[in-house]
Amino acid sequence: MTTPQQKQPIHLSGSVHDPSWNPHNLVSRRLREACNIHASRLSERTTISSSVSSANAPPPTEIYNQVIHPLARASLPRSSCPQPPLDDAITGGGSSVACNVHFSGMNVKLDPLERAAPHRIVVPENEIEDGLMEPRGEMDGTNYGVLWNEQRSATWNAISALATMCDEVEELDKTFESQILPSIVLFSADDYEAPSTYTITPALKKASKKDIFDEDAKAKRESALLARIGKFVPALQLASNGTVRLRRLVKNMVVQLGGCSTPAAVPFYFDRSAAGDENGAGTTSNVLNGEGGNKIDSAADDKGNKDQLGVRGSAAQNKNSFLGEQPPIFGKGVSLIHLVKAIGTALRILIAVDTAIATNTDLQEAWAMYKDIVMEWSEEKRIENIESLERMMVQIEFNILSSRSFIAAIEQNFDPRGRFQSAKFHLHDEIISILLTLYGQYCERINTEYETSERLDCVGVYGLYVLYRHLLPPNLVPDAKLHKSLWSVFPAMCPILELYGPLHFIPREFMMIHAPYEAVKGCSATIHDIRAESASLVLKWDGSFAARVAKIRLDSLGWLASADSELSSTVNSSLSDDDFNLPASIASIERATSCILRGLKIAYSASILLRGQLVSHRSLELNVHSSHMSSILALVEVLKSIEKMLRVRRRAAVLSFQRSTLKMISSNILKRFDRVRSYVDQTSASIELLKSPEKARSVARISACLSALEGVLKGTSSFSPIRRYSAAFSVAACTDPMLFEAFAPDDLRAVEGHIKDLNQISSIEDVLSLVCDCSFLYFYRDLIPNFIELLQHGNVASSTSRLQLLVSALSDPERILKCVKHLDKDVLSGSTLCFYGYEKFVLLVLKEEYVAPICDMIETDLRLAIHAKNAENSKNSSISCVDKRLRSIINAPPIHFCQKQISLKKEVEIHLEKIFYNLCTLNLNDCKTYSEMRVLAEERYGLHILDPCLPDGSLELDLDFIDILRDLSSFVSRFNYNMIEQSFVERMPKYGEKYLRTVNVKCTSAALKQHGLGVVASSVNVSYKILAKKFQQFTQFLAADYVKSLLAKEVRWYMHQKNDGNSIYPFERAASLAKEINKQGQTSSGITVLDQCRIFLTEMGNIIAFVRIMRASKRKVLTDQMPFLPSSVDPMLGKIDFFEESGSHAKFEMEVCVTAILNKPDPDYIRAFVNVFKGVVSKSDNSFMNGFFCMVPALCLCWMESSLQGKEMMHKKNITKDGYYVDDGFAVGLSFCLSVLGQVKQYESLNWFKSIQSKYAADEDDLVEKKNAEEVKRNAKISAAKQSSWFVSGTNEKEQDEDYDELTMLKMMRKRLEGNRREMAMLFFSLHGAQSFFKDIRSSS
């Protein structure tokens, strides 16, 4: 069968007046999807593929002398499917053929992932390979071997078929739980509906009431419903197919229940006499009364081998005489309780679907409008082939929208050919016997610590009771005791329970609707009375609700501690391979398994109590008491704690213990059957067995069951549902009166207990997902604000971990909200808008109920701390207490909600940034306070709060930028420049201060943000004026006659030395020049002339450095603003039409401004200064400045002495103006003057740095020689003193003291030399760095 083409969906929700709408495509696609897709895409994984039919079935082939039926080849895709599909379109998932037809020619091995055909799981592999199995119906039963093989084949076929049907019911249950029921319940969910319960106001409520009489609102609502029902049709088709499949499965399983107990309902597979049976039920094997068997038979007749058909025809004639004598497939006393459980599960699903449809008024209203429009168009004959659409709508309405799927399932004809009647078999007796057993077992476990899913299973029990009432003949009276027990026992323990989400089930109300029995006294009441009595019971149990929750919470805390240690990976790691002890290992595995099961029991108890409390109050319109909110929250935390422990924290240990435990359980089950196997082997070898065909059949059946059980339990260490069902049916089919000697009832009960343990252990993942799933909280989302408020007012130390558990529970609805396909979806992510609404609602509640109070507490704490600091009252215990409480919350890990990460620390930072910015804009005088709060927040809580970048005038103490500009001349004289840190450092602090003030790029950047970038131009102008004044003073110094003559003399001497080949300016020459200049005396301020020139150069360098810092600060401000500007103009904008509205013109102007900012070059003020001064110098007579480069060495020596004196002053207690530790302004000023005068190359030709290095190296060598000579002299005197007499010792001591003083002086001279060398090295490094400021200017010149 080819896969139908996927077309663009067309819905009836489109415009009614759209002439292009053609329902033919809709009808054809819908029918193909409903009838074919489930038969191809879904059912290609089943045992019998829909691709095999009477028309296209290939003929049988022979491989290794075995006949391979086409159905065997079609069953191969099932081997790659872990679970059966929804529908197979022929037999409905349950096999309709003998198992030997399926496995013939197959060679599928089992693996831990359980990917094998169901029949291959049950039938032993050696039986397949040996070719012992033959199709049933080909032997007459007179031979012992034939009888033996025939019975084994029938038994295996029965076990396989029953297990397959139960497995499919379980798969359908998961499908309805995850896809169909959420779609129906959430039909009317909207993206705005989620936050409505939290943010709706009384005004909105009044407006919603007025919408009833508003025609426009009513029309919009009807249009929205029509659009939604059009998109909902695929979901309805899926639900319709699911309910049809469940109906067929119910009929199939009920027929199998009778077929396993009566011989009259056992036709042979190739019996053509039953071809006309209703729904194909008569063409199945003796066990599987599925549908579609006539097609299989006809396919075999049309395409099969003629010789094979001849043999089968003769075998069928021999069987006609043996048909009346053939016994049931299973012996007497075999209880198919698992099959009846599966029937109850199927009925429970149908009850839930009917309840979901009946309670959804919006869906019913939308479907009614949908039908009216289709009928209107049909009467007007606006479209063709409307009959197909109407036929599809009729099928959907009958199958699901009539809310009668459960009634349709129990009103089927379960004996279409009268086989049960002819065999005088009462099917209702078989059902009621198992029903009583199940009901008793369920009621014993309800409200105990061993309760798991018994409440939901009881819904299936009530459905089975209605089925029993339908099967009961009219001339018989129903069992009054059973009816009274169903009316009184279970409803007294559980008056109302949850089916799914908001759907509830009231047992007495269900009985009054579907199975009333007024003849029984006290077993009838009105719906109102039933609900009132249920409400009174719920209110009565509310008194003990808190105590029950406290017990569960206490048990969970103890279990979490024990599970964390018991399932730890380090428990058994200390044992080496030599110390391995099998009994100890088994005991360890048993303890770990018991711990895991204990956690599951606690999770079941918490889930049952939580769901029951919520659904009972919501369905009966009872208010949840405020004191119960904490208990409900505790149950949610218990569920998520257990899930986190078993599925996250100790997942590896759970999986490892799971495999070991399953092997142990399998081994224990097989050990119980050792005596049975011995008994069967001895009996089968006995000659007396040939005399009793009935006993031979029993032994053959038990042997087949044991072989199947061994194959199932030994095949793998993991057990899928179908494998577990196969084991359960194999154990059930082994029960026989003849085995009571070898297999006691106690052994049977022990095996049944092992089977239950096997089910629990093998399905731990599914059980945890089901029990700990809190997706139902979506329907009770109005309680979420109360939960968050409880956490916020609770213990702060544990609130973060509890919040993560609650948020994990609130993330569970994501699964059901994303799988609903009829709601509007986001184009990018594909998620529904309903999910976005729910996500937005939860985040809003978290922000307002949890994050906002914490932000307020932190803000209050910071304000109180700053207030206490300003008031000089730091001893405040309340502040430190709040600090300790909040620190643990801030440092907690992020919270994960619906694949999103919520960082509480980040939220607090954003809140404080917003508050600080808003309040700073109101009053700029508070900027200092909020700056201190930012620093305190980082110190106490580790919060990194960004600077609001507002005019903050108090960031850098009281040194304001405007004050600097007002007295820039004083600033450059009182501050020294630090080139490395790009800052100015104060020379001498103010009186009483113990720190030095600094001005750096950060300070000036804040000043520019405060006063604006316009002050840059003003500061450059002020700097230029002061720089011109200082340069004029410098030129006046050089123009002095005495200085000019000395420089001219020095230039002539240097040129003469250079012509002689000596290009290194000597140190002694520089020192002598400095002495000559200083002979002019001192200035009025008491400093030498050379120091005055040095100060001029330093102040000019400070001005240049100040301008450079201004430029860097401007760049920093612009850089901080760049992230808010686009990198380029958007090319998609194109030309802007100025005749458009003003908004577009404003956008164009904005783009022009941004482009201008991005493309405008940054002006270089230093280059401008150099060019201006160079032009002025070149126009005037500057011959007296040509020898300035020869004065540089003398200035360097002067700077070195001054720097050393300043650093020595820093170590004194009273620091004067001459005390400083850095002065890079001299290097910048010297480089500026050399660049302006164009004497950089002349200065470099002096090789002054090499001269200094040579001088200091020679001095160091001289000092080393002197030191060595003194040490030699001293050592000689010491040795001579030792040889002299005692009366000359006084003279030797004086000589030794003189020698010691000489060595001390040499050490001091060397230390001084090292200091000079270090200072000169720092000067040359600074000078080299300063020259890079003017390097581009020199190269361009």
Side-chain angles (χ1 to χ4, degrees):
M1 178 181 295
T2 59
T3 305
Q5 297 179 356
Q6 300 293 332
K7 298 183 178 180
Q8 188 68 21
I10 302 176
H11 306 292
L12 194 58
S13 59
S15 177
V16 178
H17 304 287
D18 187 4
S20 62
W21 183 84
N22 185 5
H24 176 71
N25 296 331
L26 173 66
V27 173
S28 59
R29 192 186 73 256
R30 292 281 187 263
L31 292 179
R32 282 197 302 270
E33 289 179 352
C35 301
N36 298 336
I37 287 183
H38 290 302
S40 59
R41 187 179 61 189
L42 297 177
S43 301
E44 65 185 359
R45 304 176 299 176
T46 191
T47 304
I48 304 177
S49 176
S50 60
S51 60
V52 180
S53 61
S54 58
N56 58 3
T61 57
E62 292 188 7
I63 298 179
Y64 302 111
N65 297 325
Q66 294 183 353
V67 177
I68 303 178
H69 195 273
L71 296 178
R73 187 181 299 106
S75 65
L76 284 176
R78 177 62 179 87
S79 301
S80 61
C81 174
Q83 291 175 334
L86 182 66
D87 192 0
D88 63 0
I90 294 182
T91 63
S95 177
S96 301
V97 242
C99 64
N100 60 304
V101 178
H102 286 285
F103 66 71
S104 178
M106 294 173 59
N107 187 17
V108 182
K109 301 295 183 182
L110 298 180
D111 57 5
L113 295 180
E114 190 61 68
R115 295 182 181 273
H119 299 85
R120 189 57 182 267
I121 294 175
V122 176
V123 181
E125 186 176 356
N126 57 348
E127 299 289 350
I128 302 172
E129 295 176 351
D130 295 341
L132 299 179
M133 297 303 303
E134 297 293 341
R136 292 196 68 209
E138 297 185 9
M139 301 182 182
D140 55 5
T142 57
N143 184 270
Y144 170 73
V146 173
L147 180 64
W148 180 275
N149 292 333
E150 184 183 61
Q151 183 63 33
R152 289 167 64 89
S153 174
T155 303
W156 287 332
N157 184 39
I159 295 173
S160 177
L162 297 179
T164 303
M165 286 187 293
C166 294
D167 181 33
E168 187 174 359
V169 171
E170 185 171 341
E171 171 67 17
L172 282 171
D173 187 15
K174 295 178 182 179
T175 302
F176 273 84
E177 186 82 13
S178 60
Q179 299 181 22
I180 298 176
L181 286 176
S183 300
I184 298 175
V185 173
L186 297 175
F187 170 77
S188 56
D190 295 319
D191 56 329
Y192 57 84
E193 189 180 51
S196 63
T197 57
Y198 181 63
T199 59
I200 193 168
T201 60
L204 293 177
K205 291 183 179 179
K206 294 180 180 179
S208 62
K209 292 181 180 179
K210 294 181 181 179
D211 290 343
I212 301 176
F213 305 100
D214 190 354
E215 294 297 334
D216 295 337
K218 186 177 180 180
K220 291 180 180 179
R221 180 177 180 276
E222 292 179 354
S223 177
L225 285 177
L226 281 175
R228 182 157 295 183
I229 193 65
K231 299 175 183 178
F232 194 61
V233 170
L236 289 176
Q237 290 177 324
L238 179 64
S240 175
N241 289 331
T243 54
V244 170
R245 184 71 201 109
L246 282 172
R247 276 205 317 269
R248 295 177 180 176
L249 274 175
V250 169
K251 179 178 180 179
N252 199 350
M253 289 186 291
V254 172
V255 173
Q256 307 317 319
L257 182 63
C260 293
S261 304
T262 175
V266 186
F268 291 103
Y269 170 69
F270 293 101
D271 183 9
R272 300 174 61 91
S273 62
D277 193 4
E278 181 182 359
N279 292 330
T283 63
T284 62
S285 65
N286 60 329
V287 178
L288 277 227
N289 245 342
E291 302 149 0
N294 52 349
K295 299 179 182 179
I296 300 172
D297 187 25
S298 60
D301 288 343
D302 295 338
K303 303 292 183 178
N305 188 284
K306 295 183 180 181
D307 296 336
Q308 293 286 343
L309 292 179
V311 174
R312 293 172 182 171
S314 61
Q317 293 178 1
N318 295 333
K319 287 186 184 295
N320 291 333
S321 59
F322 187 68
L323 180 61
E325 300 177 359
Q326 189 172 1
I329 191 66
F330 291 152
K332 297 180 180 180
V334 175
S335 177
L336 300 178
I337 191 169
H338 294 280
L339 182 62
V340 178
K341 283 184 180 180
I343 297 173
T345 302
L347 295 177
R348 173 179 58 80
I349 298 172
L350 294 175
I351 292 172
V353 173
D354 290 344
T355 305
I357 296 295
T359 55
N360 199 329
T361 56
D362 291 339
L363 176 58
Q364 296 175 359
E365 181 181 357
W367 183 253
M369 291 189 295
Y370 194 84
K371 290 192 298 182
D372 293 341
I373 291 179
V374 173
M375 292 178 61
E376 180 182 353
W377 286 15
S378 177
E379 292 175 357
E380 296 177 1
K381 297 182 179 179
R382 296 175 58 183
I383 51 179
E384 299 178 357
N385 299 326
I386 193 66
E387 294 82 4
S388 301
L389 176 61
E390 292 177 345
R391 184 164 53 253
M392 179 197 67
M393 294 175 61
V394 168
Q395 292 176 356
I396 292 177
E397 185 169 8
F398 172 76
N399 292 332
I400 186 171
L401 289 178
S402 60
S403 300
R404 290 179 54 85
S405 57
F406 169 72
I407 299 298
I410 64 173
E411 289 181 352
Q412 297 180 96
N413 184 8
F414 297 101
D415 191 13
R417 301 289 295 180
R419 295 167 183 164
F420 296 152
Q421 183 178 3
S422 62
K424 297 180 180 181
F425 174 73
H426 301 297
L427 187 59
H428 59 87
D429 290 338
E430 186 71 17
I431 290 179
I432 195 175
S433 62
I434 302 178
L435 176 62
L436 289 171
T437 304
L438 290 176
Y439 187 63
Q441 293 177 356
Y442 295 157
C443 292
E444 288 178 359
R445 299 173 67 93
I446 291 177
N447 290 335
T448 64
E449 61 177 353
Y450 303 102
E451 180 183 359
T452 54
S453 60
E454 283 75 16
R455 294 178 188 246
L456 272 180
D457 294 336
C458 280
V459 179
V461 168
Y462 281 88
L464 287 171
Y465 175 71
V466 178
L467 176 63
Y468 154 74
R469 292 285 297 273
H470 173 73
L471 294 176
L472 193 67
N475 58 339
L476 296 181
V477 179
D479 191 344
K481 292 183 179 180
L482 175 60
H483 186 89
K484 190 170 184 177
S485 177
L486 292 171
W487 180 270
S488 58
V489 178
F490 178 72
M493 297 184 293
C494 181
I496 184 172
L497 58 94
E498 179 196 29
L499 288 175
Y500 175 81
L503 306 179
H504 63 278
F505 177 81
I506 302 178
R508 291 178 179 176
E509 184 178 338
F510 179 80
M511 293 181 67
M512 289 301 301
I513 295 175
H514 296 285
Y517 195 5
E518 298 180 357
V520 180
K521 185 178 180 181
C523 294
S524 62
T526 61
I527 303 299
H528 180 269
D529 294 340
I530 292 173
R531 288 181 173 266
E533 186 176 357
S534 300
S536 63
L537 284 175
V538 171
L539 293 176
K540 178 181 178 182
W541 291 338
D542 281 350
S544 62
F545 177 70
R548 287 180 288 167
V549 173
K551 182 179 181 303
I552 293 175
R553 186 173 182 275
L554 186 61
D555 293 342
S556 65
L557 291 176
W559 177 84
L560 288 173
S562 62
D564 194 26
S565 60
E566 192 67 36
L567 302 179
S568 176
S569 58
T570 60
V571 173
N572 295 323
S573 60
S574 61
L575 295 177
S576 60
D577 296 337
D578 298 334
D579 299 334
F580 177 74
N581 189 358
L582 181 60
S585 301
I586 294 176
S588 175
I589 294 174
E590 290 179 352
R591 287 195 305 270
T593 305
S594 301
C595 182
I596 295 172
L597 295 179
R598 175 63 178 164
L600 292 179
K601 290 178 182 178
I602 296 174
Y604 265 116
S605 301
S607 177
I608 292 169
L609 188 57
L610 175 61
R611 294 170 183 262
Q613 183 74 4
L614 293 177
V615 76
S616 59
H617 286 75
R618 181 60 56 87
S619 302
L620 299 176
E621 299 180 356
L622 301 175
N623 295 326
V624 180
H625 199 271
S626 58
S627 61
H628 292 168
M629 290 297 175
S630 59
S631 301
I632 295 175
L633 178 60
L635 292 176
V636 175
E637 294 171 358
V638 167
L639 289 176
K640 287 303 167 182
S641 299
I642 295 175
E643 183 182 22
K644 183 179 179 180
M645 177 61 70
L646 295 180
R647 300 191 66 183
V648 180
R649 182 174 177 83
R650 295 292 181 241
R651 179 180 178 85
V654 170
L655 294 179
S656 61
F657 284 120
Q658 181 187 24
R659 291 189 289 267
S660 303
T661 305
L662 290 176
K663 292 180 180 179
M664 290 175 56
I665 295 175
S666 303
S667 177
N668 292 335
I669 293 175
L670 293 177
K671 286 181 180 178
R672 293 284 180 174
F673 285 93
D674 288 343
R675 290 187 298 173
V676 178
R677 170 59 71 183
S678 300
Y679 177 80
V680 170
D681 293 341
Q682 294 175 4
T683 307
S684 60
S686 177
I687 303 177
E688 297 179 356
L689 190 63
L690 300 174
K691 301 178 181 179
S692 177
E694 182 178 356
K695 187 175 182 180
R697 290 182 179 275
S698 299
V699 173
R701 172 173 54 83
I702 296 172
S703 176
C705 292
L706 292 177
S707 300
L709 186 63
E710 292 175 357
V712 169
L713 298 180
K714 293 182 178 180
T716 180
S717 60
S718 62
F719 293 87
S720 64
I722 191 171
R723 184 176 289 273
R724 300 196 298 267
Y725 284 120
S726 300
F729 284 118
S730 298
V731 172
C734 284
T735 57
D736 194 275
M738 63 180 295
L739 295 178
F740 286 162
E741 298 179 359
F743 196 64
D746 294 339
D747 295 333
L748 179 60
R749 285 191 292 269
V751 170
E752 291 177 353
H754 291 321
I755 293 293
K756 292 180 181 179
D757 295 338
L758 188 70
N759 292 331
Q760 289 183 344
I761 298 299
S762 58
S763 59
I764 287 179
E765 287 287 329
D766 297 336
V767 170
L768 281 175
S769 301
L770 178 64
V771 177
C772 299
D773 180 32
C774 295
S775 58
F776 61 90
L777 290 179
Y778 172 79
F779 306 103
Y780 307 97
R781 54 194 179 277
D782 55 322
L783 302 178
I784 297 177
N786 299 325
F787 296 155
I788 303 297
E789 185 179 1
L790 285 173
L791 290 178
Q792 204 279 328
H793 294 292
N795 186 8
V796 179
S798 61
S799 62
T800 53
S801 58
R802 296 178 63 193
L803 179 63
Q804 181 59 70
L805 295 176
L806 176 61
V807 171
S808 299
L810 298 180
S811 302
D812 290 343
E814 179 184 8
R815 176 181 57 84
I816 63 173
L817 293 177
K818 284 190 174 182
C819 73
V820 179
K821 300 181 180 179
H822 67 278
L823 300 177
D824 296 332
K825 294 186 177 181
D826 182 67
V827 179
L828 298 177
S829 63
S831 301
T832 60
L833 298 180
C834 179
F835 168 70
Y836 281 125
Y838 171 74
E839 184 181 44
K840 181 180 178 181
F841 165 65
V842 175
L843 294 177
L844 177 63
V845 173
L846 280 174
K847 182 177 181 181
E848 294 187 0
E849 298 293 340
Y850 190 81
V851 178
I854 293 176
C855 294
D856 295 339
M857 293 171 65
I858 294 177
E859 183 182 356
T860 304
D861 177 43
L862 295 176
R863 290 185 183 277
L864 292 177
I866 297 300
H867 176 72
K869 175 253 181 185
N870 295 333
E872 296 182 357
N873 185 16
S874 59
K875 296 181 180 181
N876 194 336
S877 59
S878 62
I879 297 176
S880 60
C881 179
V882 175
D883 180 23
K884 292 179 180 179
R885 291 179 56 209
L886 297 179
R887 191 187 301 273
S888 59
I889 300 179
I890 296 299
N891 296 328
I895 300 170
H896 298 274
F897 170 71
C898 293
Q899 301 180 3
K900 286 188 175 182
Q901 184 173 337
I902 306 171
S903 176
L904 185 59
K905 182 178 180 180
K906 189 66 176 178
E907 294 294 332
V908 175
E909 290 175 352
I910 294 174
H911 172 79
L912 293 180
E913 288 174 1
K914 181 180 179 181
I915 292 296
F916 291 173
Y917 180 86
N918 292 338
L919 295 180
C920 283
T921 55
L922 296 178
N923 189 2
L924 295 178
N925 295 328
D926 293 337
C927 293
K928 179 180 178 181
T929 302
Y930 292 112
S931 300
E932 294 176 350
M933 292 177 64
R934 281 197 297 273
V935 175
L936 184 61
E938 184 174 4
E939 179 183 351
R940 282 194 173 185
Y941 306 109
L943 299 174
H944 303 285
I945 303 174
L946 298 179
D947 188 354
C949 300
L950 289 174
D952 191 350
S954 59
L955 268 177
E956 298 293 333
L957 301 178
D958 58 345
L959 190 61
D960 188 66
F961 182 75
I962 299 299
D963 296 336
I964 295 175
L965 291 181
R966 287 172 181 171
D967 194 4
L968 184 59
S969 179
S970 175
F971 173 79
V972 296
S973 63
R974 292 187 296 108
F975 284 78
N976 285 354
Y977 177 58
N978 187 349
M979 186 184 298
I980 298 176
E981 297 181 358
Q982 285 294 306
S983 63
F984 284 93
V985 183
E986 191 177 16
R987 279 176 174 262
M988 183 180 65
K990 291 183 178 180
Y991 179 75
E993 295 181 353
K994 297 182 179 180
Y995 56 87
L996 297 174
R997 292 179 294 177
T998 61
V999 177
N1000 51 22
V1001 176
K1002 181 180 179 182
C1003 175
T1004 53
S1005 300
L1008 293 181
K1009 294 176 183 178
Q1010 177 185 1
H1011 303 289
L1013 297 178
V1015 298
V1016 176
S1018 301
S1019 62
V1020 171
N1021 292 332
V1022 173
S1023 301
Y1024 171 73
K1025 293 179 181 179
I1026 297 177
L1027 181 62
K1029 183 179 179 181
K1030 297 296 180 181
F1031 190 80
Q1032 184 179 5
Q1033 294 175 356
F1034 169 71
T1035 55
Q1036 290 176 359
F1037 169 78
L1038 294 179
D1041 294 337
Y1042 184 74
V1043 175
K1044 183 168 56 174
S1045 61
L1046 287 177
L1047 291 180
K1049 177 183 177 182
E1050 199 69 21
V1051 170
R1052 288 193 301 271
W1053 179 87
Y1054 174 69
M1055 297 303 296
H1056 178 72
Q1057 293 292 327
K1058 188 176 182 181
N1059 294 332
D1060 293 341
N1062 188 6
S1063 60
I1064 297 179
Y1065 190 81
F1067 178 85
E1068 293 78 7
R1069 191 75 181 179
S1072 63
L1073 178 62
K1075 291 180 181 180
E1076 291 292 335
I1077 296 175
N1078 289 332
K1079 287 181 181 180
Q1080 292 294 320
Q1082 297 180 350
T1083 62
S1084 59
S1085 58
I1087 59 176
T1088 62
V1089 177
L1090 192 61
D1091 284 336
Q1092 183 67 34
C1093 181
R1094 176 185 58 80
I1095 292 174
F1096 289 155
L1097 293 175
T1098 301
E1099 291 180 354
M1100 284 191 291
N1102 289 343
I1103 295 173
I1104 297 296
F1106 179 77
V1107 174
R1108 186 168 181 265
I1109 289 180
M1110 287 294 301
R1111 186 186 184 192
S1113 301
K1114 180 182 177 182
R1115 289 183 174 181
K1116 184 178 185 302
V1117 173
L1118 296 177
T1119 303
D1120 295 338
Q1121 297 175 355
M1122 285 298 292
F1124 304 99
L1125 298 177
S1127 59
S1128 61
V1129 181
D1130 191 355
M1132 299 300 294
L1133 295 177
K1135 284 189 175 183
I1136 303 296
D1137 189 1
F1138 290 93
F1139 296 98
E1140 293 181 357
E1141 57 183 0
S1142 58
S1144 300
H1145 181 66
K1147 186 176 182 180
F1148 173 77
E1149 294 293 338
M1150 181 63 185
E1151 293 293 340
V1152 172
C1153 294
V1154 171
T1155 306
I1157 293 174
L1158 295 175
N1159 299 330
K1160 182 179 179 180
D1162 188 18
D1164 190 351
Y1165 304 110
I1166 298 178
R1167 179 189 294 270
F1169 287 170
V1170 173
N1171 293 333
V1172 170
F1173 282 90
K1174 186 179 293 187
V1176 173
V1177 170
S1178 62
K1179 293 179 182 179
S1180 59
D1181 184 13
N1182 61 348
S1183 59
F1184 60 92
M1185 292 186 290
N1186 293 335
F1188 171 70
F1189 70 94
C1190 289
M1191 190 179 177
V1192 173
L1195 290 172
C1196 292
L1197 295 178
C1198 181
W1199 177 89
M1200 180 186 66
E1201 294 177 359
S1202 177
S1203 177
L1204 290 174
Q1205 183 180 0
K1207 291 182 179 180
E1208 290 176 357
M1209 184 64 66
M1210 291 296 295
H1211 295 285
K1212 296 182 179 181
K1213 185 175 181 180
N1214 296 323
I1215 302 176
T1216 62
K1217 185 178 179 181
D1218 295 331
Y1220 55 88
Y1221 67 93
V1222 64
D1223 185 13
D1224 293 334
F1226 172 77
V1228 177
L1230 184 61
S1231 299
F1232 172 73
C1233 292
L1234 290 174
S1235 298
V1236 171
L1237 299 177
Q1239 298 179 9
V1240 177
K1241 292 184 179 180
Q1242 290 86 335
Y1243 162 71
E1244 292 176 353
S1245 65
L1246 296 177
N1247 296 317
W1248 171 238
F1249 185 59
K1250 292 182 179 180
S1251 176
I1252 289 292
Q1253 288 179 334
S1254 301
K1255 164 64 177 169
Y1256 288 148
D1259 292 346
E1260 185 176 6
D1261 294 339
D1262 187 24
L1263 290 175
V1264 170
E1265 290 179 1
K1266 290 181 179 181
K1267 182 180 178 182
N1268 294 334
E1270 288 294 333
E1271 289 179 352
V1272 171
K1273 182 179 178 181
R1274 182 183 180 188
N1275 294 333
K1277 289 181 179 181
I1278 293 173
S1279 61
K1282 291 180 180 180
Q1283 296 177 2
S1284 63
S1285 59
W1286 61 272
F1287 52 84
V1288 295
S1289 60
T1291 305
N1292 294 334
E1293 290 179 358
K1294 293 180 180 179
E1295 293 178 354
Q1296 290 178 4
D1297 292 339
E1298 293 176 358
D1299 295 338
Y1300 179 77
D1301 294 339
E1302 187 70 22
L1303 288 174
T1304 303
M1305 292 177 62
L1306 291 175
K1307 290 181 180 179
M1308 293 178 62
M1309 291 175 62
R1310 186 172 184 180
K1311 184 177 180 181
R1312 180 72 176 181
L1313 180 63
E1314 290 294 334
N1316 294 342
R1317 176 184 290 180
R1318 182 172 59 252
E1319 290 299 322
M1320 292 302 294
M1322 292 298 299
L1323 174 61
F1324 284 115
F1325 293 153
S1326 300
L1327 189 61
H1328 180 74
Q1331 288 176 356
S1332 64
F1333 299 167
F1334 314 98
K1335 184 177 181 180
D1336 296 336
I1337 302 174
R1338 298 198 309 269
S1339 60
S1340 62
S1341 299

